């Protein structure tokens, strides 16, 4: 059993990061990315294309007046000339639009590459992934945050960012045009002339401002609803993965009904969240769609009094209407994208909070005592007044100060809930909370053997060669496989497979000991990996270790049921439940402390 403290045993404290913290986290990720220069140049390129497109839009708007005036005069040569001008402008805009599409897709690609590489790099820092799984809800489904959420954030950020840039440049370009066009508008009111400088500019701003305010009031709940949906999607995905990984146990226990019931509950949570989103989107549609229909006639209604007074020509009216629509289109960017902005905000929260939590896992319980780690020049492994803290007590050795010499074989055992796995993780540096000192032999890198081994994807030869140093000879690999009883695998060295699925649990452990023998380390720390073997298998493995690692120091943490001849020295782990040096701390980014469980919280 895993005796790591469970998440239910600890008190929790959650503090979400602010928007400024989230943006700072993403900015840091991009600043340190290996593709930052490419991303910068592509961004500069799209700014240039957007500016050029805006110039083309201004020219196209100016084209409206001579074109419609030529129509009004029935001037055929003038009409044909303006068609040629239109072809030149439209052709240029077509090239720019295609270029912008290519740059847009390139930014998406580079942005996703930058974000995902950064998250993977932060996640794969030594011991971080392990600690994150013990940090509560923020550590659930990190794969979804790095793959799905990072990709979605890249797409939304690109679309919204380019759209906002384009709207801003068009606004700057056309607001001056619209101001100039409406500067001559004079209203006749009760026999008096009333001139309003920039009349259509103010009308466009007021019109878009009211619509934006209404859209924000109606659409703001979408941020919360989207965040809730992504959380529930993560829970459903986690449940499905859990069922898929335990299909054999579920079938043997006839637990399909319970598994289906849990999946149905999780699916119901997702569907409920989606219904809330759809309801909010329908409410938002009442505002945005009504605004869109009114916009069809709004600029003409605004300019109609001046046109019917005879102060502008039909071509001038169409030019003013076009400029109004461009300004209004720029100002309504927020209205058109309120749903996407809410989605972006929710996705940013998930990705940025995850990245912040990755960094803060290194400072969990910064105020708590930590185990000191050092090196011993005399080449010994030492435990000096070592205490491993957890919420339900302190795990320690019965002896206060322990020295283990090179080549020594030591058995460390204790009661089932004494904290043997916690002690193993403390030696490996994965669980640093507690007191005392662990001294490693200077210049040595111990080989740690957990209860269940990890095998990378690849061929069996790659699995066994998965270490720094020279490649191992195939004949030696075959010999070691035969010594542990896996001779049938000698003919499969070039086959790629997911070996954790191909082999039974005991076969995986045997393969791990074969890999250990091929590495030939001088120090070995084992966590209960020998405890599941039957007598014959255990004798075979110990004989292989004796022959292959005659001078290695081997420390076995387990039940103590092994040969006293192989492990002549015995130490005992005890647990003091009356002492607990580990207390809850507060982290941002939704991380939950203290680092509690091997079984992830389903929240």
């Amino acid at each position: 059993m895993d005796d790591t403290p469970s998440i239910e045993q600890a008190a929790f404290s959650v503090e979400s990061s602010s928007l400024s913290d989230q943006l700072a986290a993403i900015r840091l990720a991009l600043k340190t990315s290996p593709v930052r220069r490419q991303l910068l140049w592509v961004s500069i390129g799209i700014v240039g294309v957007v500016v050029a497109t805006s110039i083309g839009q201004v020219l196209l708007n100016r084209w409206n007046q001579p074109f419609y005036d030529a129509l009004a005069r029935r001037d055929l040569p003038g009409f044909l000339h303006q068609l040629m001008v239109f072809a030149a402008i439209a052709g240029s805009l077509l090239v720019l639009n295609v270029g912008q599409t290519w740059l847009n897709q390139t930014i998406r690609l580079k942005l996703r590459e930058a974000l995902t590489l950064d998250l993977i790099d932060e996640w794969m820092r030594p011991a971080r992934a392990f600690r994150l799984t013990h940090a509560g809800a923020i550590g659930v489904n990190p794969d979804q945050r790095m793959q799905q959420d990072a990709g979605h954030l890249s797409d939304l950020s690109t679309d919204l960012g380019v759209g906002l840039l384009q709207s801003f440049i068009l606004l700057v370009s056309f607001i001056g045009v619209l101001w100039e066009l409406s500067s001559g508008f004079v209203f006749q009111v009760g026999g008096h002339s009333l001139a309003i400088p920039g009349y259509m500019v103010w009308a466009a701003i007021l019109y878009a401002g009211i619509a934006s305010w209404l859209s924000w009031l109606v659409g703001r709940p979408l941020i919360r609803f989207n965040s809730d949906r992504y959380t529930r999607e993560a829970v459903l995905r986690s449940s499905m993965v859990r069922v898929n990984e335990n299909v054999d146990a579920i079938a043997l226990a006839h637990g399909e009904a319970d598994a289906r019931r849990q999946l149905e509950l999780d699916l119901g949570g997702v569907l409920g969240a989606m219904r809330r989103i759809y309801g909010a989107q329908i409410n938002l549609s009442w505002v945005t769609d009504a605004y869109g229909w009114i916009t069809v006639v709004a600029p003409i209604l605004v300019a109609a009094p001046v046109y019917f007074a005879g102060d502008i020509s039909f071509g001038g009216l169409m030019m003013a209407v076009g400029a109004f629509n461009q300004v209004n289109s720029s100002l309504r960017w927020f209205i058109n994208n309120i749903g996407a902005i809410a989605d972006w905000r929710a996705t940013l929260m998930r990705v940025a909070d995850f990245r912040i939590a990755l960094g803060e896992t290194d400072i969990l319980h910064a105020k708590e005592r930590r185990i000191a780690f050092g090196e011993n020049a005399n080449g010994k492994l030492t435990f000096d007044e070592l205490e491993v803290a957890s919420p339900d007590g302190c795990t320690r050795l019965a002896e206060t100060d322990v020295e283990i010499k090179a080549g020594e074989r030591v058995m460390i055992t204790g009661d089932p809930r004494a904290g043997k796995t916690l002690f193993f993780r403390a030696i490996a540096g994965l669980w640093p909370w507690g007191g005392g000192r662990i001294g490693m032999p200077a210049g040595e890198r111990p080989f740690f053997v957990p209860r269940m081994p990890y095998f990378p994807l690849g061929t069996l030869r790659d699995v066994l060669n998965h270490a720094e140093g020279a490649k191992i000879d195939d004949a030696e690999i075959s010999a070691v496989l035969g010594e542990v009883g896996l001779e049938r695998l000698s003919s499969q060295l070039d086959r790629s497979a997911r070996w954790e699925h191909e082999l039974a649990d005991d076969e995986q452990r045997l393969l791990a000991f074969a890999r250990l023998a091929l590495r030939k380390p001088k120090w070995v720390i084992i966590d209960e990996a020998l405890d599941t073997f039957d007598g014959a298998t255990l004798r075979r493995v110990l004989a292989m270790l004796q022959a292959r690692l005659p001078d290695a120091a081997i420390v076995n943490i387990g039940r103590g049921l092994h040969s006293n001849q192989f492990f002549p020295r015995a130490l005992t782990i005890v647990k003091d439940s009356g002492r607990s040096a580990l207390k809850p701390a507060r982290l941002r980014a939704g991380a939950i402390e203290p680092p509690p469980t091997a079984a992830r919280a389903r929240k």
Side-chain angles (χ1 to χ4, degrees), residues 91-142:
S92 300
L93 288 174
L94 174 62
V95 173
L96 290 171
N97 287 340
V98 172
Q100 181 174 328
T101 300
W102 179 81
L103 290 169
N104 186 297
Q105 300 298 334
T106 303
I107 287 180
R108 286 188 183 197
L109 184 66
K110 293 301 178 183
L111 187 57
R112 179 170 186 182
E113 181 180 1
L115 288 177
T116 307
L117 284 177
D118 175 78
L119 291 176
I120 292 174
D121 179 66
E122 293 293 316
W123 189 47
M124 286 290 97
R125 297 288 177 90
R128 270 193 184 175
F130 167 80
R131 291 174 185 169
L132 187 69
T133 63
H134 294 72
I138 196 70
V140 176
N141 293 108

Side-chain angles (χ1 to χ4, degrees), residues 12-16 585-593:
F12 306 136
S13 170
V14 182
E15 180 180 342
S16 296
R586 178 179 292 274
L587 283 186
R588 297 177 299 167
I592 296 179
E593 334 51 15

Side-chain angles (χ1 to χ4, degrees), residues 300-575:
I300 296 177
L301 293 176
V302 170
V306 182
Y307 174 73
F308 286 112
D311 292 334
I312 56 173
S313 66
F314 181 69
L317 173 65
M318 297 310 295
M319 185 175 176
V321 168
F324 182 95
N325 283 333
Q326 289 288 0
V327 171
N328 180 63
S329 176
S330 300
L331 291 173
R332 66 175 286 175
W333 175 87
F334 178 80
I335 304 165
N336 292 339
N337 292 282
I338 183 66
I341 291 171
D343 194 7
W344 173 83
R345 183 70 181 86
T347 310
L348 172 68
M349 190 184 305
R350 287 180 59 79
V351 174
D353 281 359
F354 178 70
R355 191 187 191 281
I356 293 171
L358 284 171
E360 292 192 343
T361 53
D362 292 341
I363 58 171
L364 275 169
H365 299 283
K367 296 182 180 179
E368 299 292 340
R369 288 194 307 150
R370 290 185 173 232
I371 299 168
F373 289 84
E375 290 191 345
N376 297 324
N378 60 8
K380 296 179 180 179
L381 173 65
T382 59
F383 306 118
D384 302 320
E385 299 182 353
L386 177 62
E387 290 183 340
V388 184
S390 66
D392 58 348
C394 279
T395 296
R396 58 183 176 83
L397 290 171
E399 299 180 33
T400 304
D401 299 307
V402 173
E403 285 188 352
I404 299 176
K405 301 176 183 177
E408 196 171 0
R409 310 284 171 80
V410 181
M411 180 73 210
I412 301 179
T413 188
D415 293 337
R417 300 297 297 176
K420 296 187 291 295
T421 293
L422 197 65
F423 192 81
F424 171 80
R425 290 173 174 172
I427 299 173
L430 299 178
W431 190 274
W433 297 279
R437 180 182 183 274
I438 296 176
M440 290 292 183
E444 297 295 339
R445 187 176 179 181
F447 191 100
F448 292 93
V449 183
R451 284 174 297 175
M452 286 305 298
Y454 162 73
F455 301 123
L457 293 174
T459 64
L460 186 60
R461 180 183 288 101
D462 292 335
V463 168
L464 295 172
N465 278 310
H466 184 62
E468 299 174 359
K471 296 294 182 182
I472 303 170
D473 182 74
D474 286 2
E476 186 176 3
I477 292 177
S478 298
V480 172
L481 289 175
E483 290 173 22
V484 297
L486 295 177
E487 50 276 328
R488 67 181 179 83
L489 297 180
S490 298
S491 61
Q492 304 181 44
L493 296 181
D494 293 315
R495 187 167 73 89
S496 294
R498 294 190 62 178
W499 297 102
E500 69 276 13
H501 292 171
E502 293 275 333
L503 304 175
D505 288 352
D506 273 358
E507 289 180 319
Q508 292 181 50
R509 294 186 181 96
L510 289 172
L511 188 62
F513 279 106
R515 180 170 60 183
L516 166 64
L518 292 168
R519 305 287 173 79
K520 297 181 172 60
K522 294 182 179 180
W523 289 84
V524 181
I525 315 292
I526 303 172
D527 177 32
E528 298 185 343
L530 294 170
D531 290 350
T532 61
F533 295 145
D534 58 34
T537 303
L538 177 60
R539 287 190 293 272
R540 185 188 307 120
V541 172
L542 294 181
M544 184 269 296
L545 293 177
Q546 180 64 49
R548 296 279 176 176
L549 305 175
D551 300 321
I554 302 178
V555 178
N556 181 33
I557 303 172
R559 300 175 190 169
L561 303 178
H562 312 317
S563 170
N564 291 334
Q565 294 180 348
F566 193 87
F567 295 106
R569 183 181 176 187
L571 299 173
T572 302
I573 289 176
V574 295
K575 190 166 195 174

